[in-house]
């Protein structure tokens, strides 16, 4: 180009005011109104100018649908290049991304280019290149005769691919100018101003789709960060509760009064049950707890606290929410501790913990094989002064459930509550 050349916004070409007579005649001779792009193109003739424009609109429509559904940025850019090239009936198209640090335009995606070009080749982002001018000014650029172009320099890579004409439009996102969509052709001919409307519409859809993908990416990052915060908070709660349980246990050992020592030990067990539940919440990270994992964890912890007991724990695949999990953990701890205190002597014995479920109810059972319950025992008696029984009834009510007690070859407590969110 010469030094005093001033690049115009576009090379102006004539636009058709309407279809030619033969196209109108073809359309008038059709008895049925078209119901799709394909039928309309067939009626007017795929080789006609109107057919060409209809094909562009059909491709633009198809790309809009693809862009709404696509979640992968690389696939989106590649598809844009392929479909834009099809719409312009040429075999060369590229998506150029502006890189501020390098101040250039990188080949991010494309069709028709030699191996090694995409992801590596660059163009200048200054106003002396067609793509750079389009990017800097936000103005579409048509160059129909690159071999004789005096406004812009012709990039060497275009020469190597035999490009004779090119059309460039800006790709914009909410963050600003992102890059350039360029269609190239090695054949003689004319890109027209009407082609700008097609290609700019393509670039606009591409920019909106990239904005959506970026928004989804940021939302996913925010959700992941929130998940990490919740897990960290649950982990810290679990550690704090474990420390509190240890303190209560130490105080129980140093207290000379048996009733105080026992009360502190029970409190320590309740605290550790809540801690183990929080540990499961942190590990599973879903806001829900797998009953089988919770029972295994609690039984392992209780076996360490009550070495005289042999614990057997089984469960169906049941998913419960966090509030249910805390109540279930406390119930299991209280019922197993009661079995250790009242069913057996110092020699200990066996305790079975089971959880089964159907489509409606979860049934939690804690059974010992010891002395059994007194004949006058009534777990529902509201007048009972036993703190343990009061706690069991309160926890069952918090689950919207009921509690039953049986004495047949040992004591058995059965808590039944609604199955909420049970996994199959």
């Amino acid at each position: 180009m010469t030094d005093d050349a001033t690049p115009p916004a576009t090379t102006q070409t004539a636009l058709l005011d309407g279809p030619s007579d033969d196209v109108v005649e073809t359309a008038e001779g059709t008895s049925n109104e078209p119901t799709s792009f394909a039928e309309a193109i067939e009626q007017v003739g795929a080789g006609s100018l109107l057919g060409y424009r209809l094909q562009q609109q059909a491709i633009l429509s198809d790309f809009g649908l693809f862009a709404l559904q696509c979640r992968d940025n690389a696939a989106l850019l590649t598809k844009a290049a392929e479909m834009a090239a099809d719409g312009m009936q040429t075999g060369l198209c590229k998506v150029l991304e502006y890189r501020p640090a390098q101040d250039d335009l990188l080949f991010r995606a494309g069709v028709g280019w030699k191996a090694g070009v995409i992801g590596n080749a660059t163009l200048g982002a200054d106003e002396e290149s067609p793509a750079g001018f389009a990017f800097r000014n936000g103005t579409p650029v048509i160059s129909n005769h690159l071999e004789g172009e005096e406004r812009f320099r012709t990039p060497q890579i275009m020469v190597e691919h035999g490009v004779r004409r090119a059309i460039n439009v800006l790709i914009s996102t909410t963050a600003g100018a992102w890059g350039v969509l360029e269609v190239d052709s090695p054949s003689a001919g004319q890109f027209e101003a009407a082609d700008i409307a097609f290609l700019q519409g393509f670039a606009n859809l591409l920019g909106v789709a990239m904005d959506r993908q970026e928004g989804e990416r940021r939302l996913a990052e925010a959700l992941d960060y929130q998940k990490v915060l919740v897990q960290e908070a649950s982990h810290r709660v679990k550690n704090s509760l474990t420390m509190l349980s240890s303190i209560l246990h130490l105080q129980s050992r140093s207290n000379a009064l048996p009733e105080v020592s026992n009360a502190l030990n029970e409190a320590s067990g309740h605290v550790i049950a809540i801690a183990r539940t929080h540990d499961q919440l942190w590990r599973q990270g879903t806001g829900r707890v797998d009953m089988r994992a919770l029972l295994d964890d609690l039984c392992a912890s209780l076996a360490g606290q009550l070495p005289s007991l042999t614990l057997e724990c089984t469960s169906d695949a049941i998913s419960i929410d966090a509030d249910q999990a805390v109540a279930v953990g406390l119930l299991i701890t209280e019922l197993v501790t009661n079995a250790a205190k009242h069913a057996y002597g110092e020699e200990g014995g066996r305790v079975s913990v089971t959880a089964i479920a159907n489509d409606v109810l979860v049934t939690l059972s804690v059974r010992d094989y010891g002395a059994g319950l007194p004949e006058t025992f009534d777990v529902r008696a509201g007048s009972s002064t036993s703190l343990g029984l009061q706690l069991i009834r309160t926890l069952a009510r918090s689950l919207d459930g009921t509690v039953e007690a049986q004495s047949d070859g040992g004591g058995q407590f059965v808590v039944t509550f609604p199955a909420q969110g049970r996994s199959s």
Side-chain angles (χ1 to χ4, degrees):
M1 61 178 289
T2 58
D3 293 337
D4 58 349
T6 303
T10 65
T11 300
Q12 186 64 39
T13 58
L15 297 176
L16 290 180
D17 294 327
S20 60
D21 291 341
D22 59 330
V23 172
V24 173
E25 182 179 350
T26 302
E28 290 176 351
T30 303
S31 58
N32 296 324
E33 291 293 330
T35 59
S36 66
F37 276 118
E39 290 185 6
I41 293 169
E42 183 179 359
Q43 286 186 13
V44 301
S48 67
L49 180 59
L50 182 55
Y52 172 58
R53 297 303 178 202
L54 285 174
Q55 284 178 323
Q56 287 185 333
Q57 293 305 307
I59 290 172
L60 195 61
S61 175
D62 289 343
F63 177 71
L65 180 60
F66 176 85
L68 285 173
Q69 298 172 338
C70 184
R71 296 293 181 268
D72 180 74
N73 184 256
L76 176 69
L77 299 182
T78 299
K79 193 69 171 180
E82 293 172 352
M83 297 185 75
D86 287 344
M88 302 291 283
Q89 296 184 357
T90 181
L92 285 170
C93 180
K94 55 182 175 284
V95 179
L96 301 168
E97 180 185 9
Y98 177 67
R99 301 189 300 178
Q102 295 83 358
D103 193 27
D104 63 13
L105 293 164
L106 173 68
F107 280 58
R108 274 290 307 277
V111 60
W113 304 96
K114 295 177 182 178
V117 170
I118 303 302
N120 298 301
T122 61
L123 297 179
D126 58 283
E127 294 190 6
E128 293 187 356
S129 74
F133 186 88
F135 177 78
R136 294 294 181 186
N137 293 276
T139 306
V141 175
I142 291 178
S143 300
N144 279 321
H145 305 285
L146 285 176
E147 67 276 10
E149 182 64 72
E150 295 183 353
R151 299 171 302 159
F152 308 110
R153 67 174 182 271
T154 301
Q156 182 60 33
I157 194 168
M158 309 280 275
V159 175
E160 293 173 358
H161 285 78
V163 176
R164 299 176 66 180
R165 54 194 173 104
I167 179 170
N168 293 265
V169 296
L170 179 69
I171 302 171
S172 294
T173 66
T174 53
W178 182 89
V180 172
L181 177 62
E182 178 175 337
V183 170
D184 305 304
S185 177
S187 66
Q190 296 282 323
F191 287 132
E192 299 182 352
D195 293 317
I196 291 176
F198 165 73
L199 199 61
Q200 188 63 68
F202 228 98
N204 292 345
L205 281 174
L206 184 57
V208 170
M210 287 194 291
D211 276 334
R212 177 186 57 76
Q213 288 184 345
E214 177 64 15
E216 290 178 351
R217 184 190 65 79
R218 290 182 178 180
L219 178 60
E221 286 182 351
L223 291 174
D224 287 342
Y225 181 62
Q226 184 182 41
K227 182 179 178 181
V228 170
L229 288 180
V230 170
Q231 289 179 340
E232 179 64 19
S234 185
H235 184 56
R236 287 179 181 273
V237 168
K238 175 253 182 180
N239 287 343
S240 298
L241 290 173
T242 302
M243 184 179 297
L244 176 59
S245 175
S246 298
I247 293 172
L248 291 172
H249 185 65
L250 288 173
Q251 288 179 335
S252 73
R253 293 176 60 184
S254 62
N255 197 287
L257 298 175
E259 61 273 19
V260 174
S261 179
N262 290 336
L264 289 173
N265 262 331
E266 289 182 7
S268 174
H270 294 149
V271 171
I272 203 67
I274 298 175
R276 303 312 301 175
T277 303
H278 275 278
D279 186 55
Q280 288 299 316
L281 282 169
W282 165 66
R283 292 181 184 279
Q284 296 180 30
T286 61
R288 300 184 66 80
V289 173
D290 177 72
M291 179 79 86
R292 185 178 296 161
L294 178 61
L295 257 63
D296 288 345
D297 193 26
L298 282 173
C299 286
S301 176
L302 288 167
Q305 299 171 45
L306 306 167
S308 65
L309 292 185
T310 299
L311 286 173
E312 300 170 345
C313 298
T314 59
S315 173
D316 288 348
I318 307 167
S319 175
I320 55 179
D321 63 34
D323 290 337
Q324 285 181 308
V326 171
V328 167
L330 288 172
L331 269 170
I332 293 170
T333 300
E334 182 65 26
L335 291 170
V336 170
T337 302
N338 280 349
K341 285 167 43 177
H342 302 297
Y344 301 110
E346 293 183 0
E347 71 281 1
R350 182 164 60 99
V351 175
S352 299
V353 182
T354 61
I356 59 175
N358 55 34
D359 292 335
V360 180
L361 298 173
V362 175
T363 301
L364 175 67
S365 170
V366 177
R367 176 185 176 85
D368 65 66
Y369 303 88
L373 301 172
E375 290 184 5
T376 58
F377 181 83
D378 185 1
V379 71
R380 298 181 181 181
S383 60
S384 172
T385 58
S386 168
L387 179 61
L389 288 179
Q390 292 178 21
L391 180 59
I392 290 169
R393 289 195 298 268
T394 299
L395 292 171
R397 284 196 299 270
S398 74
L399 292 167
D400 294 325
T402 61
V403 58
E404 301 282 348
Q406 304 169 8
S407 184
D408 182 14
Q412 182 179 20
F413 287 81
V414 179
V415 179
T416 304
F417 59 94
Q420 301 179 16
R422 184 175 67 87
S423 64
S424 56

